[in-house]
Amino acid sequence: MPVNRPDSDKMMPYQYPNPPEALPELVVPNAIPTDERLWVPQGENVWFRPLCLNVSQGYWMNLLRVRKSGVLSRHRHPQAVHGFVLKGRWRYLEHDWEATEGSYVFEPPGETHTLYVPDDVEEMITYFQVNGVMYYCDPWGQGTGYEDVFTKIDMCRKHCSEVGLGEDYVRQFIR
Ligand SMILES: [Fe+2]
């Protein structure tokens, strides 16, 4: 139970510093960017926008953008994924449900799927937390490649360098 304090304390900020080992907070204004350079290409008609690249726990928070006819290659998730659809809608080849604007999606560990955007959707944007790795595979589960937070950082570094933001631009998203 919280201790009752006089009303005068209610608007008083916490009076001590945070632990010295705590990481700095991260605030990303304009998370859905208007600057096209902040969208990192990752395939035909597929881009991601980094928000938090967490190297201490091995996950990444990003916006995934897929435009008409874009497909995100078949992949397996050894760890959970959380998604929230901000714009448009999409499906998995492996499921009969559709993720529509405003939907929350939980992808359980062990799930293998292929994301695609139907032809009549111009653009979809979904906020995803991906833990561990994306393990790319063929239809029978044989591995064809992977992504983790470190390959994502590499992609960002290379892209930001190419579009003139500088390879250090990605550092602000790393925790
Ligand atoms: Fe996935």
Side-chain angles (χ1 to χ4, degrees):
M1 283 288 284
V3 178
N4 280 331
R5 291 288 186 190
D7 278 356
S8 58
D9 280 7
K10 278 186 178 166
M11 288 300 290
M12 184 183 288
Y14 180 57
Q15 293 297 294
Y16 298 107
N18 287 326
E21 296 80 12
L23 296 170
E25 70 276 22
L26 173 54
V27 180
V28 181
N30 301 313
I32 303 177
T34 48
D35 184 346
E36 189 58 30
R37 297 177 302 171
L38 298 177
W39 288 103
V40 182
Q42 74 167 63
E44 194 182 351
N45 295 335
V46 182
W47 298 259
F48 72 98
R49 189 291 202 247
L51 294 171
C52 178
L53 301 164
N54 196 296
V55 297
S56 51
Q57 293 184 63
Y59 68 82
W60 64 101
M61 313 289 301
N62 68 171
L63 302 184
L64 182 74
R65 183 177 76 180
V66 182
R67 288 194 168 148
K68 218 174 169 127
S69 303
V71 173
L72 186 65
S73 303
R74 186 185 317 99
H75 56 272
R76 179 177 174 124
H77 294 290
Q79 289 180 260
V81 171
H82 302 273
F84 188 87
V85 185
L86 299 174
K87 184 181 180 189
R89 58 184 217 280
W90 49 267
R91 314 179 64 95
Y92 286 123
L93 293 180
E94 295 79 3
H95 294 292
D96 57 9
W97 49 265
E98 190 171 62
T100 53
E101 191 170 305
S103 297
Y104 162 76
V105 176
F106 167 71
E107 302 177 6
E111 167 85 6
T112 304
H113 51 214
T114 315
L115 187 156
Y116 78 99
V117 174
D119 275 351
D120 61 329
V121 179
E122 290 296 322
E123 177 180 89
M124 82 78 164
I125 298 175
T126 300
Y127 178 46
F128 276 116
Q129 178 188 8
V130 185
N131 296 285
V133 302
M134 302 257 293
Y135 177 78
Y136 293 100
C137 62
D138 71 13
W140 297 274
Q142 293 302 308
T144 55
Y146 72 92
E147 288 186 317
D148 62 15
V149 67
F150 303 101
T151 65
K152 293 312 246 190
I153 290 170
D154 273 348
M155 290 168 77
C156 291
R157 194 183 282 127
K158 191 158 175 275
H159 171 75
C160 289
S161 177
E162 283 169 7
V163 296
L165 293 167
E167 64 172 32
D168 284 346
Y169 189 83
V170 67
R171 285 182 189 275
Q172 65 189 293
F173 305 114
I174 298 174
R175 287 294 183 275

